[in-house]
Amino acid sequence: MAPLPEAELVRSSVQLYRYLLRCCRRLPQGHIQQHYRHAIRQSFKVHADEDDPERIQQIIKRAIEDADWVMNK
């Protein structure tokens, strides 16, 4: 599966969260979707206190790359 076209528009953590949840909708129904939705929520909780803009952009870039990998798997 190709990445969603709005990946290059993701600039904030809220946009990333919405993008990743939209990616999850394209995965097979059931346990796979539940697993990745849970992982997304947990990751956001872990990084909620991050305040360095450069680090936030690194996290966003990495999350999009990881999502692309999962979608192509």
Side-chain angles (χ1 to χ4, degrees), residues 44-59:
F44 272 82
K45 288 178 184 178
V46 167
H47 296 291
D49 61 344
E50 190 66 57
D51 57 358
D52 179 18
E54 186 176 317
R55 176 70 179 131
I56 292 170
Q57 290 307 310
Q58 289 174 344
I59 292 169

Side-chain angles (χ1 to χ4, degrees), residues 1-29 32-34 36-38 40-41 44 60 63-64 67-68 70-71:
M1 285 184 211
L4 294 176
E6 57 268 5
E8 65 275 355
L9 301 176
V10 175
R11 299 283 181 251
S12 71
S13 56
V14 173
Q15 290 172 333
L16 176 64
Y17 187 74
R18 294 181 74 206
Y19 170 79
L20 293 174
L21 290 178
R22 279 193 298 274
C23 286
C24 278
R25 286 190 218 139
R26 297 178 68 194
L27 295 171
Q29 293 286 341
I32 295 171
Q33 275 189 5
Q34 291 174 359
Y36 283 107
R37 277 197 313 258
H38 178 73
I40 291 166
R41 288 184 188 113
F44 272 82
I60 289 172
I64 291 172
D68 291 345
V70 168
M71 299 301 286

